[in-house]
Structure formats: structure tokens, C-alpha cells
Amino acid sequence: MGMSMKEEDFVENLFIASTHDYILFFTDAGKIHWMKVHELPQAGRTTRGKAIVNLLNLSPQEKVNTILSSRISPRGSLSPS
């Protein structure tokens, strides 16, 4: 699979996206947070990842429920391909 894992690590979701795509984070507070894929921190296959809560500006009680990748901007236009 191209990555090594430790016993306590697990892969919950795997996304395939272009650097021009957006990752949308839907929270239990009804908010949508978004980032361009190229803004996500890069890591090697043996590097430990970061928790999503450390990448987004969430309130203390807010949790991410769903994550989607999209070519359509959260502002309503298509991103360049």
C-alpha cells in the first residue's frame, strides 16, 4: 500500500484528489470548513500524520462528522483542472 503503519495507527479514509481540488470538512455544529489540497501538510509514507482538529479552527466542542473531496469551490465555481 506504500506506507508503513504502527500498531496504534489505522487508516479510516483515503482520498484521491488533485492539488487544485478542495477538501470539505462538515462538523456537528452545521459548519463547513474547507482547504485546498495543496494547503494540507505534506508527509512521507513513514511520517506520523496530524489530527484534523489541529488543521482546522474548530470550537472546543465541535467535531468533524464528514470529509469530502470536491473540484467545485465552496464559493460555487469550478476549480481549474
Side-chain angles (χ1 to χ4, degrees):
M1 191 166 169
M3 61 184 173
S4 62
M5 297 174 57
K6 295 185 179 175
E7 229 176 276
E8 68 271 10
D9 292 339
F10 62 94
V11 175
E12 189 171 325
N13 294 304
L14 182 66
F15 295 96
I16 299 173
S18 163
T19 56
H20 297 289
D21 291 349
Y22 296 86
I23 302 293
L24 307 174
F25 305 90
F26 296 83
T27 71
D28 59 355
K31 295 181 184 177
I32 302 173
H33 298 268
W34 59 275
M35 295 180 78
K36 284 206 122 197
V37 169
H38 70 82
E39 294 172 341
L40 294 170
Q42 281 191 335
R45 66 181 189 90
T46 58
T47 306
R48 291 190 58 109
K50 284 189 178 182
I52 292 171
V53 295
N54 295 330
L55 300 175
L56 303 174
N57 187 18
L58 301 176
S59 64
Q61 305 303 321
E62 194 173 9
K63 294 185 179 169
V64 174
N65 286 338
T66 305
I67 303 171
L68 298 174
S69 62
S70 174
R71 289 218 162 190
I72 298 175
S73 164
R75 295 187 175 118
S77 63
L78 290 173
S79 64
S81 357

